Amino acid sequence: MAGNITFTMIKPDAVRANNIGPILSMITEAGFRIKAMKFTHLNETTAGGFYAVHKERPFYGELVEFMSSGPIVAAILEKDNAVADFRELIGATNPAEAAEGTIRKKFATSIGENAVHGSDSDENAIIEGDYFFSNLEKF
Ligand code: ATP
Ligand code: MG
């Protein structure tokens, strides 16, 4: 059975563009409940640790630099079928390929600066949520 938890970040590009409000609005209107949330600023170590699975990819250095370039909003979201439904709401990694009505279609500017993160599996949703939040911060 699909899990009911996913993890998201509103990335530095979307925070800089003042799009926290509109993005959170799209998320909650799509039926996701906020279970945990914080405004924080990753550094190279914490961004690198989060994206360690991509360490061998050619864009890793650029990704870590971008993700530590400004504050982000991190959140755990709850909904039935959370991971798949949230990937559908955010759209394709490359905004040029993202479907109409998705968050990335609306707010992302490039494949690197693509406004939001969404977990890719139930297992990673738990790992990623635990990277940012203690049990005292989840409700
Ligand atoms: P995310 O994990 O952030 O939700 P995703 O699952 O759609 O995105 P991944 O393949 O996991 O995509 O890549 C992680 C992130 O790395 C992307 O969101 C993007 O910011 C960056 N990225 C991916 N591919 C490229 C690329 N070819 N060039 C530059 N950056 C890239
Ligand atoms: Mg991913």
Side-chain angles (χ1 to χ4, degrees):
M1 208 188 89
N4 63 350
I5 291 294
T6 192
F7 171 80
T8 188
M9 286 184 283
I10 301 176
K11 296 185 179 185
D13 58 325
V15 173
R16 272 193 286 273
N18 252 339
N19 287 326
I20 295 174
I23 290 173
L24 285 178
S25 173
M26 283 179 78
I27 290 171
T28 52
E29 274 166 25
F32 292 87
R33 193 184 74 79
I34 295 168
K35 191 175 171 65
M37 184 159 70
K38 68 172 69 165
F39 188 55
T40 185
H41 192 154
L42 297 170
N43 59 31
E44 286 202 10
T45 306
T46 50
F50 183 84
Y51 280 113
V53 292
H54 294 310
K55 206 179 264 173
E56 306 307 324
R57 310 274 282 274
F59 56 81
Y60 178 73
E62 192 186 322
L63 175 60
V64 169
E65 192 183 333
F66 165 61
M67 287 304 296
S68 55
S69 69
I72 57 133
V73 174
I76 298 174
L77 304 174
E78 187 176 61
K79 182 184 184 297
D80 287 347
N81 200 34
V83 167
D85 284 4
F86 194 69
R87 300 284 303 190
E88 193 176 327
L89 176 66
I90 67 178
T93 309
N94 184 348
E97 291 161 15
E100 220 43 70
T102 61
I103 292 175
R104 282 171 170 163
K105 178 74 178 183
K106 210 162 176 186
F107 299 111
T109 50
S110 69
I111 191 167
E113 305 207 353
N114 59 6
V116 280
H117 165 82
S119 303
D120 60 12
S121 66
D122 292 340
E123 189 191 3
N124 284 335
I126 301 299
I127 292 169
E128 292 171 359
D130 286 347
Y131 194 80
F132 281 86
F133 299 100
S134 78
N135 282 335
L136 293 173
E137 299 171 305
K138 298 173 196 167
F139 306 98

